[in-house]
Amino acid sequence: MPDLTPPSDPAARPMEGQRPPLITALAAQVISAAVVFGVTAGTGMHVGLVVLLVLQGTGAAALGLWLGLARWWLPLQLLAPPAVWGALQLPIPPWIYLAVFAGLVLVYWNSAGERVPLYLTNRKTWAALEKLLPDKPDLTFADLGSGLGGVLLFLATQRSEGTFIGLESAPIPYLLSRVRLSLARRTNLRIFMRSLWMVDLARFDVVYCFLSPAPMPPLFDKAKAEMRPGALFISNSFEVPGHPADRVIELDDGRRTRLHVWQM
Ligand SMILES: C[S@@+](CC[C@H](N)C(=O)[O-])C[C@H]1O[C@@H](n2cnc3c(N)ncnc32)[C@H](O)[C@@H]1O
């Protein structure tokens, strides 16, 4: 198994220190609620609760845009206050909300900080990835953000002589993938609960990722700095602005997956 020593350069952890959009959205809601409810209480105005909630949502949406949130946050910000109030009226014990919230956090751990949610590479893409693997007996492959481990399990089964490594930092996907891999009993496959920024990519012949637009520019810089000449860096769907891929493979699956392939 490859040694997974972290890169010593702190610049290799570029997503640290950026404000996650979820925090901006929550801050916009809190500020808007304070203004709307504060002004009505302070002036003694009699305004219906629904109107106040709509005003809070509108204020939060406008403030969020001003603070740099993407436009798709707008409807979420508008609807959040009435939706939360409506949910609180349902006869559901409060611990259920807490349990659902905790479960979502443990699955979508990287949505807020890294801006990468969980969605999975499909089977047609697994097969396309297999065709891209170099014909090398001691092949080493990494899936950065390995989710439920589907890509790794498929490739490790097809290429039993290679070594396949997954890095996953979301607790529930990590645990589920570990259980899945233990049941599959493959010895050429390991998944680590570790941030992809903390691993030196020099050990791998092929590095695959299916993340989001946000981490691609710094991740490409990291790949360029660490990967060996000739190694492959493959991004499912997400391009790197200013660095066109050497090859783009378009698949005929439902979502017209595009694999962007760079040879280092
Ligand atoms: C879109 S999913 C892809 C899952 C898997 N690679 C696949 O293609 O089926 C992205 C995964 O990356 C994980 N992730 C995001 N940022 C990460 C980080 N810094 N370190 C490790 N995993 C990360 C997420 O938790 C999520 O499971």
Side-chain angles (χ1 to χ4, degrees):
M1 286 291 158
D3 171 20
L4 294 178
T5 44
S8 50
D9 179 5
R13 283 162 259 153
M15 302 304 280
E16 285 176 13
Q18 290 188 23
R19 188 180 56 215
L22 187 61
I23 302 294
T24 306
L26 286 173
Q29 288 289 353
V30 171
I31 294 169
S32 178
V35 171
V36 169
F37 286 87
V39 167
T40 40
T43 55
M45 276 194 289
H46 292 285
V47 185
L49 182 61
V50 174
V51 175
L52 291 178
L53 292 171
V54 169
L55 283 175
Q56 178 191 328
T58 310
L63 189 57
L65 272 187
W66 184 70
L67 290 172
L69 283 181
R71 285 189 172 274
W72 59 264
W73 277 93
L74 216 112
L76 295 183
Q77 291 286 72
L78 278 170
L79 293 177
V84 169
W85 179 80
L88 289 173
Q89 307 313 304
L90 298 174
I92 296 175
W95 67 265
I96 299 253
Y97 290 112
L98 189 62
V100 170
F101 178 71
L104 289 174
V105 168
L106 294 174
V107 172
Y108 294 100
W109 191 258
N110 289 304
S111 300
E114 301 275 357
R115 296 182 234 173
V116 179
L118 174 70
Y119 32 73
L120 304 176
T121 299
N122 60 36
R123 282 166 190 272
K124 277 199 173 166
T125 311
W126 296 353
L129 282 172
E130 187 199 349
K131 288 194 192 129
L132 287 171
L133 298 185
D135 195 11
K136 189 170 179 263
D138 56 349
L139 168 78
T140 48
F141 176 99
D143 184 358
L144 304 183
S146 47
L148 303 183
V151 173
L152 292 169
L153 191 52
F154 174 79
L155 294 178
T157 308
Q158 304 303 311
R159 293 288 296 268
S160 52
E161 78 290 3
T163 300
F164 294 82
I165 299 293
L167 302 160
E168 177 54 62
S169 55
I172 287 189
Y174 169 73
L175 287 176
L176 289 178
S177 60
R178 284 299 297 261
V179 170
R180 192 174 179 195
L181 301 186
S182 318
L183 294 175
R185 293 173 184 276
R186 293 225 59 90
T187 52
N188 61 336
L189 198 178
R190 282 189 70 185
I191 296 195
F192 296 86
M193 184 159 179
R194 199 166 299 176
S195 170
L196 58 90
W197 302 112
M198 299 302 292
V199 171
D200 189 343
L201 302 180
R203 275 92 181 150
F204 302 105
D205 298 306
V206 182
V207 169
Y208 170 69
C209 61
F210 185 20
L211 297 168
S212 79
M216 290 315 295
L219 182 56
F220 188 72
D221 289 346
K222 176 175 165 64
K224 274 274 187 209
E226 294 172 8
M227 289 179 74
R228 290 189 304 256
L232 295 183
F233 179 71
I234 307 174
S235 167
N236 184 334
S237 305
F238 303 108
E239 301 171 32
V240 181
H243 297 277
D246 299 316
R247 276 175 81 186
V248 178
I249 298 164
E250 187 165 326
L251 307 181
D252 66 347
D253 56 353
R255 55 184 299 274
R256 314 280 320 163
T257 295
R258 285 161 72 90
L259 290 176
H260 303 267
V261 185
W262 290 264
Q263 184 146 29
M264 295 292 151

